[in-house]
Amino acid sequence: VFSVSQPTPLKGTLTLAAVSKDVLEDILDVEISVSQSDDFLQFFSGNKLLPESVPLAHRYGGHQFGYWSGQLGDGRAHLLGQYTNRLGERWELQLKGSGKTPYSRDGDGRAVVRSSVREFLCSEAMHFLGIP
């Protein structure tokens, strides 16, 4: 089940910390130079949406900390849409730490830089180790 949920725009000056060249060029069919544009920064920060984009938050149920938790959900992630690349592969475009959703509980829906950098580095390492 999904709920419509808009990302919360960031305030202040935006700076791109890192980008995966392989993801942009080999998965999303985008030249790396695009990552230097203001439109790229605005889109991937959640400040600007593509036309006709309807951002969603995912609700689900499951176990958490060893116990059935009933309803859970993406408390800080927004699904922006699905993209099909030149190879016919389908990929979901999602922002993490992009603000509150209906499932945020008491959090602000943001992600700290420390954990975001760790997730990025782990994803890159897994990619270059050949782990899907």
Side-chain angles (χ1 to χ4, degrees):
V1 176
F2 294 91
S3 299
V4 174
S5 179
Q6 299 294 319
T8 305
L10 292 168
K11 298 176 184 172
T13 304
L14 301 176
T15 303
L16 181 64
V19 66
S20 174
K21 182 177 186 290
D22 284 16
V23 168
L24 284 182
E25 293 182 346
D26 299 339
I27 293 176
L28 298 178
D29 307 325
V30 175
E31 294 290 327
I32 189 72
S33 61
V34 171
S35 67
Q36 302 304 309
S37 72
D38 187 59
D39 281 339
F40 181 89
L41 191 59
Q42 295 299 320
F43 176 72
F44 283 100
S45 68
N47 283 5
K48 185 177 181 181
L49 298 174
L50 292 175
E52 300 183 33
S53 177
V54 180
L56 303 171
H58 189 205
R59 184 182 77 193
Y60 49 88
H63 287 81
Q64 190 175 42
F65 311 115
Y67 299 95
W68 175 254
S69 297
Q71 179 182 305
L72 298 169
D74 289 334
R76 60 181 185 163
H78 290 86
L79 172 64
L80 299 179
Q82 189 177 69
Y83 175 75
T84 304
N85 68 12
R86 68 189 181 318
L87 301 174
E89 301 167 327
R90 289 187 186 157
W91 295 89
E92 288 185 351
L93 299 178
Q94 185 183 68
L95 298 176
K96 188 168 186 180
S98 49
K100 284 188 166 198
T101 75
Y103 316 109
S104 295
R105 296 186 229 161
D106 295 325
D108 66 359
R110 296 295 186 195
V112 295
V113 173
R114 177 187 63 246
S115 60
S116 299
V117 168
R118 183 177 55 241
E119 288 180 27
F120 176 78
L121 292 175
C122 288
S123 294
E124 287 290 281
M126 290 174 61
H127 169 70
F128 285 104
L129 290 169
I131 301 169

